[in-house]
């Protein structure tokens, strides 16, 4: 598995997004554990989670606890990245809380669930419109200084917010996690800014999300065509396309089956040429 950098830490070029293991439609524990095992066996050393990855408020923290348990005894050095700032409510509702006091408490709870002394990468999950970004990111700076987190990241930030966050953190912003996929390309400016600043860019839902990954090839013709020419899946082509965009890109495809994370991990070995990249970069090119 090729290696990329988050801050000073080396991780696999492809990570595993843990969300599908804990939300609606999640697999049973045996298959969830098998998926994490398959990721590690394939060379994945980055697993992304969040405290809010759960069915609802009654099992808040489910994904963190699941991943911590699955990694016990595997004897592999995996960077577990988690997030705080999203809340869950009745009826499987999602909410936001970016207050510094909430983030400090959320970090302490994540530390407990993950069973670690310091979180490898802690990310502010999403800006809260009722709280200044500077206040929320300021809490990350405090957690860094206190040694509770080793690296700080942000998620769902625009370029101006990324620059502000990096300034507040004294140049210590390690990662930006934004949505990016063949369908959702509006995060190109954030990707380019991260490449310019040397900040890791972690595309979430890189294959189109839980409901869209399987249909990627049927929806975006160039990915299907190159996949046929190369004898691989359209999903593998998609992740290879992202990796080729910039050395800072580290896709974190979600998976709930061992087979899918094995295929995703293999994208690190697929090299696309300039002609193929031009075809894939040429727009959405939907087949319908």
């Amino acid at each position: 598995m090729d290696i990329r950098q988050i801050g000073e830490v080396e991780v696999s070029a492809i990570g595993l997004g843990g969300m599908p293991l804990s939300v609606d439609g999640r697999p049973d524990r045996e298959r969830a554990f098998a998926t994490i095992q398959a990721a590690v066996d394939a060379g994945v050393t980055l697993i992304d989670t969040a405290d809010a990855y759960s069915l609802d408020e009654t099992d808040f923290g489910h994904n963190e606890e699941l991943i911590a348990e699955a990694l016990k005894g595997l004897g592999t050095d995996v960077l577990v990245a988690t997030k705080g700032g999203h809340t869950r409510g009745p009826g499987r509702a999602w909410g936001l809380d970016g207050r510094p006091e909430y983030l400090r408490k959320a970090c302490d709870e994540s530390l407990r669930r993950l069973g670690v002394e310091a979180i490898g990468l802690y990310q502010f999950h999403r800006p809260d419109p009722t709280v200044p970004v500077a206040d929320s990111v300021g809490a990350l700076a405090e957690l860094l200084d206190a040694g509770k987190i080793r690296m700080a990241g942000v998620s769902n930030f625009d370029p101006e917010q990324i620059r502000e966050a990096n300034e507040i953190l004294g140049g210590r912003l390690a990662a930006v996690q934004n949505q990016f996929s063949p369908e959702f390309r509006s995060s190109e400016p954030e990707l380019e800014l991260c490449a310019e600043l040397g900040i890791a860019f972690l595309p979430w839902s890189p294959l189109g999300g839980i409901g869209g990954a399987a249909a990627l090839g049927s929806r975006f013709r160039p990915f299907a065509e190159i996949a046929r020419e190369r004898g691989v899946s359209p999903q593998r082509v998609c992740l290879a396309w992202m990796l080729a965009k910039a050395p800072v890109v580290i896709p974190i495809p979600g998976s709930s089956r061992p087979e899918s994370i094995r295929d995703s991990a293999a994208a690190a070995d697929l090299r696309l040429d300039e002609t193929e990249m031009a075809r894939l970069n040429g727009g959405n090119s939907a087949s319908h």
Side-chain angles (χ1 to χ4, degrees), residues 53-283:
Y53 292 166
S54 60
L55 290 178
D56 53 32
E57 78 280 12
T58 63
D59 69 341
F60 195 78
H62 178 275
N63 199 243
E64 290 179 328
E65 291 176 344
L66 178 80
I67 287 167
E69 186 176 346
L71 290 176
K72 276 181 186 173
L74 288 186
T76 304
D77 190 16
V78 173
L79 174 65
V80 176
T82 193
K83 298 180 284 292
H86 253 305
T87 60
R88 301 302 303 275
R92 305 195 171 180
W94 292 76
L96 294 169
D97 195 335
R99 294 173 300 147
E101 58 268 33
Y102 176 80
L103 292 174
R104 287 192 291 267
K105 180 186 174 192
C107 179
D108 285 341
E109 289 296 303
S110 290
L111 282 164
R112 177 185 60 78
R113 285 189 289 262
L114 292 171
V116 295
E117 293 182 2
I119 293 169
L121 172 62
Y122 192 70
Q123 303 155 101
F124 178 40
H125 207 148
R126 187 181 292 272
D128 180 347
T130 68
V131 180
V133 162
D135 292 355
S136 302
V137 177
L140 295 187
E142 292 176 17
L143 294 169
L144 265 178
D145 293 338
K148 291 188 174 184
I149 66 176
R150 295 199 170 96
M151 293 185 290
V154 295
S155 185
N156 303 299
F157 271 43
D158 65 30
E160 183 180 345
Q161 292 168 331
I162 292 169
R163 290 187 185 277
E164 182 182 4
N166 197 37
E167 186 176 335
I168 291 165
L169 290 164
R172 295 180 293 174
L173 181 63
V176 172
Q177 184 178 145
N178 277 21
Q179 186 176 9
F180 186 69
S181 68
E183 181 175 20
F184 193 95
R185 303 192 187 201
S186 57
S187 283
E188 286 271 12
E190 290 86 350
L191 190 162
E192 291 167 6
L193 176 60
C194 286
E196 174 192 327
L197 299 177
I199 295 169
F201 183 82
L202 281 52
W204 63 263
S205 289
L207 302 176
I210 294 172
L216 189 151
S218 62
R219 296 186 64 205
F220 301 100
R221 187 179 297 119
F223 291 86
E225 291 171 348
I226 291 172
R228 281 194 296 272
E229 293 161 11
R230 291 297 203 105
V232 298
S233 69
Q235 292 79 9
R236 196 182 303 187
V237 171
C238 177
L239 297 174
W241 165 67
M242 292 186 182
L243 290 172
K245 279 187 166 289
V248 298
V249 177
I250 307 170
I252 46 170
S255 179
S256 61
R257 297 184 302 118
E259 297 82 4
S260 52
I261 188 57
R262 288 191 198 105
D263 186 71
S264 292
D269 298 323
L270 179 61
R271 301 289 185 269
L272 301 172
D273 62 33
E274 290 183 11
T275 303
E276 290 169 325
M277 286 297 292
R279 289 163 65 188
L280 298 172
N281 284 331

Side-chain angles (χ1 to χ4, degrees), residues 16-36 38 66 210 253-262 264:
L16 169 66
M19 185 177 181
L21 302 176
S22 293
V23 295
D24 283 335
R26 68 192 189 191
D28 59 34
R29 288 177 70 81
E30 184 178 355
R31 198 175 95 194
F33 278 36
T35 301
I36 295 168
L66 178 80
I210 294 172
S255 179
S256 61
R257 297 184 302 118
E259 297 82 4
S260 52
I261 188 57
R262 288 191 198 105
S264 292

